[in-house]
Amino acid sequence: MDIFFEIHKDLPREGPGDNRSTQKALALMQNLPYHPQILDIGCGPGLQTLELARRTAGKIVAVDTHQPFLDTLQQRAQAAGLSERISLENASMFALTYQPNSFDALWSEGAIYIIGFEKGLREWRPLLKPGGYVAVTEISWLKPNPPQEVLSYWMADYPDMQSIDANLSRLRAAGYREIDHFTLPTSSWWDDYYTPIQARLPMLRQRYQGDAEAKEILNATEKEIAMYQKYSEWYCYVFYVMQVE
Ligand SMILES: C[S@@+](CC[C@H](N)C(=O)[O-])C[C@H]1O[C@@H](n2cnc3c(N)ncnc32)[C@H](O)[C@@H]1O
């Protein structure tokens, strides 16, 4: 696993995303209280956590299971003067122990796939106050009948990847009404995520020369980026913003 964490260590973000998209999703939550309580699930190094703290007067609880990401977020929050309104918890999204009705909004960028889109929405729902909101990003097919190469790639890597319509049905089935959804721009894949990963791959190939397992992981990383380069019109991260029914 060393190589995996070396690929991902100290990246600005741990998945596609950008502050403008975070702001746009937040602006869709029109009836948030002035001091909202927000739970950011799978926060990673937390650029979206910081943006939520900047753009609201509320408190953000940021949850992740990888302590180095939480440490990075803590440093970033301190540097930004936001640490009083961000609390960090090393906890799993599979076993969140907060009281029911605790949060005005649940946030999760690039992480709900870990528990599963519909399962996460269902299991986290009791944590919301009445009328509470959820914003999640989920990788989604943008149009039907993708080319076999990209279909096979994602079916092997993430078989539960669905179309936007299917995800809208799933969020309704989980007890929410859709407020809106929008795709992340291409730049949000490159600027803070794929470009810095690509930049470190040659150095890591050098360092792990002769290590077959590392080579496999480096090849898989390159393949994921190549897939996006070739097929970005077919899939994207989509922000889904919803309100509990
Ligand atoms: C793709 S990253 C997204 C991170 C961050 N939201 C971002 O956009 O930069 C997924 C995150 O989920 C975290 N994670 C993995 N398993 C988890 C779990 N069971 N509970 C909470 N977080 C988890 C990872 O450590 C990682 O930070």
Side-chain angles (χ1 to χ4, degrees):
M1 285 309 268
D2 282 357
I3 178 74
F4 182 82
F5 288 120
E6 277 196 74
I7 293 170
H8 285 266
K9 190 168 170 266
D10 298 333
L11 292 175
R13 289 180 181 272
E14 280 301 322
D18 65 281
N19 279 346
R20 286 179 69 117
S21 297
T22 300
Q23 288 164 25
K24 189 170 164 183
L26 184 64
L28 289 165
M29 301 179 171
Q30 289 192 346
N31 292 319
L32 266 191
Y34 186 67
H35 292 285
Q37 301 285 326
I38 302 177
L39 179 64
D40 183 4
I41 303 168
C43 61
L47 285 195
Q48 75 293 324
T49 323
L50 298 169
E51 192 59 13
L52 291 171
R54 260 185 230 111
R55 299 277 162 181
T56 67
K59 290 227 159 94
I60 327 290
V61 179
V63 169
D64 205 283
T65 45
H66 188 54
Q67 190 59 40
F69 291 159
L70 293 169
D71 295 342
T72 300
L73 174 51
Q74 184 165 30
Q75 286 158 14
R76 288 176 172 178
Q78 266 158 5
L82 295 167
S83 50
E84 299 224 324
R85 290 194 294 112
I86 296 177
S87 59
L88 306 172
E89 297 227 17
N90 190 328
S92 173
M93 65 173 77
F94 289 88
L96 297 170
T97 54
Y98 306 101
Q99 291 299 313
N101 299 328
S102 291
F103 295 98
D104 299 292
L106 307 179
W107 207 273
S108 188
E109 293 197 26
I112 194 170
Y113 77 92
I114 293 162
I115 185 168
F117 185 80
E118 188 170 338
K119 182 169 188 244
L121 291 178
R122 274 184 201 282
E123 290 198 358
W124 302 341
R125 192 169 172 274
L127 302 177
L128 281 171
K129 296 180 189 172
Y133 295 94
V134 178
V136 295
T137 63
E138 167 77 349
I139 195 166
S140 311
W141 294 111
L142 297 178
K143 34 189 192 173
N145 306 319
Q148 194 55 47
E149 186 184 22
V150 65
L151 182 65
S152 306
Y153 174 80
W154 281 109
M155 285 302 99
D157 208 63
Y158 182 38
D160 199 30
M161 183 163 151
Q162 305 268 338
S163 67
I164 293 174
D165 280 349
N167 284 329
L168 294 175
S169 298
R170 294 201 291 180
L171 72 83
R172 280 182 219 114
Y176 301 86
R177 75 175 181 90
E178 185 209 0
I179 293 178
D180 206 352
H181 66 273
F182 58 92
T183 53
L184 295 188
T186 312
S187 57
S188 74
W189 292 69
W190 291 107
D191 295 355
D192 286 341
Y193 192 52
Y194 281 164
T195 301
I197 290 177
Q198 253 178 341
R200 62 181 62 167
L201 292 180
M203 174 273 290
L204 290 172
R205 283 206 184 275
Q206 193 79 32
R207 183 178 298 166
Y208 284 88
Q209 237 172 13
D211 180 330
E213 197 189 337
K215 189 172 172 198
E216 211 174 293
I217 292 173
L218 289 165
N219 288 348
T221 304
E222 251 170 19
K223 175 108 192 253
E224 183 190 322
I225 296 173
M227 280 291 130
Y228 185 69
Q229 226 151 10
K230 192 166 172 191
Y231 293 112
S232 61
E233 72 191 275
W234 292 92
Y235 64 93
C236 193
Y237 266 92
V238 174
F239 237 122
Y240 296 91
V241 182
M242 64 204 88
Q243 190 169 25
V244 75
E245 287 269 41

